[in-house]
Amino acid sequence: MKYPIGSERRPLRVAIIGAGPAAFYAAGDLLKRQNPYVEVDMFERLPTPYGLVRGGVAPDHQNIKNVTKIYERIARLPNFRFWGNVTFGKDIHRHELKSRFDSILYAVGAQSDRRMNISGEDLLGSYSATEFVGWYNGHPDYRDLTYDLSVKKVAIIGLGNVAIDVARILTKSSDVLSNTDITAYTLDALKKSQIEEIYLIARRGPVQAACTPLELQALLDLDQTRVTIDPEALQFDNASQHILEQTKDRNVRRNVELFQQISQKTTTHSRKTIHFRFLRSPVEIYARQGRVSGIKLVKNQLVRMDDDKLKAHSTNTFEELPVGMVLRSIGYLGTQLDDVPFDEKRGTIPHQTGRVFDDKTNQPIPGEYVAGWAKRGPSGVIGTNKTDAIETVQTMLEDFKDQQAEEIQQSHEDSIKSWLESKSIHFGSFQDWKNLDQIEVEAGMLKGKPREKVTQISEMMTLIEKKRKA
Ligand code: NAP
């Protein structure tokens, strides 16, 4: 017998891939109502949830991580299930999910980062800032990377919030960071750090800075760190001046005020210096004895494009900075999921209001949706994912409005569990994560930290297993 999809007899069964903010906001919006009646199964490749809130947010921004309390409340809702340590495209596949769920929602974020495509980018000493963030945050994919912090000078390319986070972490003393959830191995490395000068290289001007005022303010507030700006950079070209005067974006105006304050600030006892360098693009990274020894920059001028945006155009003037490490921080980039449409250029899944589109036929694919960075690209703050996820959920619910399907006899939870077990997948539940969370928090308490993260998947699963048996 057939029942409406979304009735108690035949719930709407949704698989969410990923467990970051967009995934949780989508789950929360799907589960907050009785009509339609929804069941959510969240599949995450790590045993731990929360995506970049755990693996991306800087350790000295603990208050931002409080948002996980909201996600935890969502995870406690009756029709929510978390299947950790399950990788889409390896352990489970799109066609298998399509036969078990009415709807698949991809909320996988952006797993990689953009490259500069310049000579010397792969030299020892030239790295991705997003991987460096993953390293200091104990993400299992990056915890085994090594960074030589015995260099004196570092160039960070890009002026978004990631660049500012990285500059701040490299500048703060290990004592100050020791009461955060930064990983123990990072603290050890920072204790030995010889870094004295950090160059933040922006290809456009202060009016076009991608970072937000809160992050800039945090640089101003740093103890014992001098921050410099070439005063010339605050003499704006006519077009930038016009934008500054006309813009409704308060962040732009506030950023410029902060850059002005930075240019006027004098710091007497500085251990380290952060230099802002505007209107410069990297063109080549040099090496000495196989290691980064410098970077060549070209000076840019801003040129107004047809869409009125100001773009950086290179001039014939170059300069060199003798740095021992380069961190590119020019944005995250999505990677293709097995068997799922992908827009190579944008690094996103093609969609219309969250409904996945087949890139070959340009037709919607029934029952497949996308939310978060996989949908709109790596932009916005954590909260931006809420509106984004709600839009996708609305699209999904519209699509299932008048659909009917056979009643399900077996509990969906049991059928997913036996399916994963039949594949010998060593999965973890939300309760398993909570047990691991407790272990981390207790280990942290002994050191005066909010938590000491477990950073290897094998160790996480061993601890989970031990708790289950206890
Ligand atoms: P982002 O905000 O997109 O900034 C990227 C920066 O790289 C921009 O300054 C951009 O300059 C520059 N860039 C891009 N391509 C370049 C190239 N080829 N050469 C030189 N420079 C280049 O990226 P993000 O810093 O990775 O941050 C990603 C998202 O996470 C953002 O939405 C950010 O706000 C968010 N986030 C938030 C926080 C927080 O709220 N505390 C912390 C971290 C990250 P143009 O402007 O000229 O393109």
Side-chain angles (χ1 to χ4, degrees), residues 270-399:
S270 58
R271 288 183 311 117
K272 298 191 180 178
T273 307
I274 295 173
H275 305 278
F276 281 95
R277 283 280 205 276
F278 289 97
L279 294 170
R280 282 156 172 87
S281 287
V283 284
E284 187 181 350
I285 301 174
Y286 305 122
R288 196 182 308 126
Q289 291 167 349
R291 286 202 59 96
V292 168
S293 62
I295 185 164
K296 182 175 179 182
L297 306 171
V298 63
K299 285 197 182 174
N300 296 328
Q301 59 191 18
L302 295 178
V303 175
R304 192 196 286 271
M305 307 308 288
D306 290 344
D307 60 2
D308 259 5
K309 289 209 174 106
L310 294 183
K311 218 177 155 188
H313 272 218
S314 46
T315 65
N316 290 322
T317 313
F318 298 89
E319 69 180 31
E320 288 175 22
L321 287 177
V323 294
M325 180 154 85
V326 174
L327 291 165
R328 64 172 186 275
S329 183
I330 61 172
Y332 286 83
L333 183 66
T335 49
Q336 178 156 25
L337 284 178
D338 196 25
D339 204 22
V340 177
F342 188 61
D343 179 336
E344 290 272 355
K345 204 162 165 230
R346 297 188 65 237
T348 53
I349 296 175
H351 76 98
Q352 269 180 18
T353 55
R355 198 178 279 121
V356 175
F357 260 64
D358 185 330
D359 41 355
K360 292 181 191 79
T361 61
N362 207 25
Q363 293 295 314
I365 301 181
E368 291 185 57
Y369 303 87
V370 59
W373 280 7
K375 172 184 171 189
R376 66 175 196 280
S379 64
V381 289
I382 292 169
T384 317
N385 293 297
K386 188 169 180 183
T387 16
D388 181 310
I390 288 173
E391 180 193 65
T392 296
V393 167
Q394 255 172 11
T395 301
M396 188 193 299
L397 297 185
E398 267 166 35
D399 288 353

Side-chain angles (χ1 to χ4, degrees), residues 163-212:
I164 304 263
D165 276 351
V166 169
R168 201 180 62 253
I169 294 297
L170 287 175
T171 312
K172 279 194 170 177
S173 77
S174 49
D175 282 352
V176 172
L177 291 170
S178 63
N179 61 1
T180 72
D181 66 356
I182 198 163
T183 46
Y185 59 77
T186 310
L187 269 186
D188 283 346
L190 288 174
K191 264 180 207 151
K192 296 177 205 137
S193 165
Q194 299 291 312
I195 294 170
E196 289 171 358
E197 291 186 79
I198 296 168
Y199 294 88
L200 280 164
I201 317 284
R203 65 177 169 184
R204 298 190 290 159
V207 175
Q208 292 81 25
C211 57
T212 48

